Amino acid sequence: MMEVFRFKNLGRWDKFTIPHLHFPTHVPSEQIGRLLKPREERVDRTQYRFEDLQPITIHFGGDISRRKVAPGREYTLPLLWVRPGDVVLSKIDLKNGAVGVLEDGWDNAVVTTHFKVYEPDLTRLDPTYFRMLLQTGEFKRWLWANRSGADGRTEVKLDVFEELEIPLPPLPEQQAIVAAWRAAGTHAAALEREAAETEAKAALAFESALGVSAPSPLPERKILVAQFKDLERWSHDAILRRQHPDVRPPPTYPMVSLSTVGDVAYGMQKHPGNRPGKNSKPYLRVANVQRGRLVLDEIKYIDISGADFERIRLEDRDLLFVEGNGSRENLGRVALWLDQIPDCVHQNHLIRARMDKAKVLPEFAAYWFNSGAGRAHFFEEGKTTSGLGTINSSVVKSAPIPVPPMDVQQKLAQQYDEALATAEKQREDAAKARAKAWTDFETAVYAAEVVEEAAAQIAAAS
């Protein structure tokens, strides 16, 4: 396909610097610079302490957050005020779509001169419409294509940005487009809340049927004093639980340790000698095991054969516990292996539990150890000094698990499965609602058939 351009319009001989923005011809347009007025409102540093200001940053998706500044430090660059409703962009990251609109509720928001602040013409431009427009795939491709400068320091020049024309339907139409998008977002958020409530009710029903509950929350303690003779291990939770015992009624069914109803084993330690070779096998890492689910997008390989391979080869419906994690919430998280990858093994930072299926259903065990009551053991027994901890095979072997009759286990696991399937469907519907709302927005401002053609050309050339 041949393209013809005026030479005077080219910043350099590179077809990807040429704007590929196409809008419906029936929609009026206007230059960005005529809709945004630069705000050069300097902060008088003699009137404000730095700790009373809120430095902000702009992310690639247009979100705005408070910038983290180390205690006792402050900026030496001049600061600019950002008022609610202002459009603010990062000069260096404009090419990545770092353009946002400051929402209401921010007090004393400021940026350095590495940013540009604009006051939008509210009689002609809805700020949210503008922000959404700049986050479309077509506009982001345009921003990336129009960057210039030395390698490693390329940016979109502000005059290039301000001279670009954007589709500008009448203000009521802009507001209607934004309102429809927000309504879809509200609907999606409601579905996500319903999904969370469905899961919470399922967890409560599961624990209630077993006659157990999660332990009561431990008090917050900035300083914790305990006598050394009272410590079985250095565990923040264990010490607090000793000082604040949690009294709960006995469970409905007998509790046994995991080692009496299953076999527990470590995986293989990774080292230079077992790099992928002629006996390469897929193996699971900590990153692959999330709570209640496996993430198998990226699988790595390790060299293993013979008796070692047979010892740690995973079997269908094995449980995998994470040995350690920087987050207390994820300590001892567990997922069920369903033989998704043939001849797969696991790393030593994952602890495998193979249940005696005549006594305990693996699905029931997985739901139990991911419940609040089932996880309590790992919080109390994990080695920790500051809420971060690790567990080992002994902790997993001693983990208590209720053993109701097999038909009760099957019923509870099935009910939990159905509830989680409902929650997953609610989340899928939420994601579809958000995706449709965004597609509807892009359709409203772009000529869809031209957008698809231009995107295909750029993708093919890349």
Side-chain angles (χ1 to χ4, degrees):
M1 181 184 215
M2 185 172 67
E3 296 179 274
V4 178
F5 303 96
R6 290 182 181 274
F7 188 80
K8 68 177 183 177
N9 293 332
L10 303 184
R12 61 179 181 272
W13 187 246
D14 176 356
K15 68 170 287 185
F16 298 107
T17 66
I18 301 165
H20 286 277
L21 289 175
H22 304 270
F23 306 117
T25 56
H26 68 278
V27 178
S29 61
E30 183 61 275
Q31 285 187 341
I32 289 176
R34 294 181 179 178
L35 299 168
L36 303 179
K37 176 184 176 182
R39 185 193 289 280
E40 297 287 349
E41 191 179 352
R42 292 279 183 105
V43 177
D44 185 348
R45 300 296 295 275
T46 65
Q47 299 296 318
Y48 292 89
R49 299 183 307 168
F50 185 76
E51 54 265 32
D52 294 330
L53 303 174
Q54 289 195 66
I56 61 173
T57 190
I58 319 299
H59 302 281
F60 292 176
D63 292 330
I64 294 177
S65 65
R66 183 179 180 119
R67 197 175 192 92
K68 294 181 180 179
V69 182
R73 300 193 64 181
E74 59 180 75
Y75 294 158
T76 57
L77 288 172
L79 298 177
L80 303 173
W81 288 112
V82 187
R83 307 299 185 185
D86 282 352
V87 173
V88 58
L89 60 83
S90 166
K91 294 178 182 178
I92 187 62
D93 285 322
L94 175 59
K95 62 179 179 284
N96 294 308
V99 184
V101 177
L102 190 69
E103 302 289 342
D104 291 336
W106 286 85
D107 295 322
N108 295 342
V110 297
V111 291
T112 68
T113 49
H114 291 310
F115 295 78
K116 184 72 174 182
V117 183
Y118 297 94
E119 181 182 0
D121 181 353
L122 299 180
T123 65
R124 305 173 63 201
L125 180 67
D126 182 286
T128 303
Y129 167 83
F130 181 69
R131 176 196 166 180
M132 292 171 63
L133 178 66
L134 268 59
Q135 295 306 317
T136 60
E138 184 71 359
F139 202 104
K140 283 196 170 184
R141 281 190 288 272
W142 182 91
L143 289 171
W144 186 257
N146 281 275
R147 69 198 189 281
S148 60
D151 290 342
R153 191 64 185 178
T154 60
E155 59 185 69
V156 178
K157 301 303 181 183
L158 293 182
D159 58 344
V160 175
F161 173 72
E162 293 171 1
E163 290 173 3
L164 176 68
E165 290 193 0
I166 62 170
L168 192 70
L171 186 60
E173 290 186 22
Q174 297 176 44
Q175 293 168 338
I177 291 172
V178 170
W181 174 75
R182 282 179 169 157
T186 299
H187 174 61
L191 289 172
E192 290 164 347
R193 287 194 299 272
E194 289 177 12
E197 291 171 1
T198 298
E199 290 178 341
K201 289 178 181 178
L204 180 60
F206 180 81
E207 292 182 343
S208 297
L210 296 172
V212 298
S213 61
S216 57
L218 290 166
E220 296 289 338
R221 291 285 187 272
K222 291 185 178 179
I223 299 176
L224 180 61
V225 178
Q227 294 189 0
F228 190 79
K229 65 183 180 64
D230 295 331
L231 305 184
E232 295 180 4
R233 67 186 59 81
W234 183 246
S235 169
H236 177 269
D237 283 5
I239 297 169
L240 274 177
R241 187 58 71 193
R242 181 183 291 271
Q243 296 178 351
H244 302 272
D246 184 60
V247 180
R248 286 174 286 168
T252 304
Y253 301 100
M255 301 284 286
V256 302
S257 61
L258 176 56
S259 61
T260 65
V261 291
D263 176 65
V264 176
Y266 279 108
M268 168 168 275
Q269 184 175 3
K270 185 180 177 183
H271 55 78
N274 54 27
R275 288 173 179 167
K278 64 179 181 179
N279 296 310
S280 293
K281 302 294 182 184
Y283 78 96
L284 297 187
R285 303 164 291 126
V286 169
N288 299 124
V289 180
Q290 302 301 311
R291 188 170 299 286
R293 62 189 178 92
L294 294 166
V295 179
L296 304 177
D297 298 338
E298 182 183 4
I299 296 297
K300 297 191 175 183
Y301 287 78
I302 198 168
D303 202 74
I304 183 172
S305 61
D308 286 337
F309 170 63
E310 293 301 329
R311 177 179 61 83
I312 64 171
R313 179 167 57 175
L314 291 170
E315 294 183 5
D316 187 39
R317 300 162 74 197
D318 279 347
L319 270 67
L320 291 165
F321 292 83
V322 173
E323 178 190 47
N325 195 275
S327 167
R328 182 183 187 279
E329 177 65 21
N330 288 313
L331 182 62
R333 67 179 185 239
V334 61
L336 190 66
W337 174 251
L338 298 176
D339 212 21
Q340 293 95 326
I341 302 172
D343 293 337
C344 192
V345 297
H346 60 106
Q347 194 179 12
N348 63 317
H349 294 303
L350 297 175
I351 302 172
R352 184 266 297 158
R354 184 164 295 157
M355 308 307 297
D356 181 344
K357 299 178 181 64
K359 297 178 181 178
V360 175
L361 281 177
E363 294 82 358
F364 170 82
Y367 284 136
W368 164 254
F369 287 116
N370 278 327
S371 71
R375 291 155 54 193
H377 170 78
F378 302 114
F379 294 159
E380 295 170 4
E381 299 298 318
K383 296 178 181 179
T384 175
T385 58
S386 59
L388 311 179
T390 61
I391 59 174
N392 54 33
S393 62
S394 296
V395 172
V396 174
K397 289 177 180 178
S398 63
I401 179 173
V403 186
M406 191 62 69
D407 61 331
V408 174
Q409 295 184 41
Q410 291 174 334
K411 179 182 177 181
L412 292 178
Q414 181 179 352
Q415 290 174 340
Y416 219 138
D417 280 340
E418 292 171 354
L420 293 186
T422 298
E424 181 64 22
K425 177 64 167 54
Q426 290 167 328
R427 288 198 172 91
E428 288 176 358
D429 289 345
K432 289 178 182 177
R434 293 187 192 279
K436 183 179 184 302
W438 192 251
T439 300
D440 290 346
F441 171 76
E442 290 192 319
T443 302
V445 296
Y446 291 114
E449 68 279 4
V450 179
V451 170
E452 292 173 1
E453 181 181 349
Q457 290 178 17
I458 293 175
S462 300

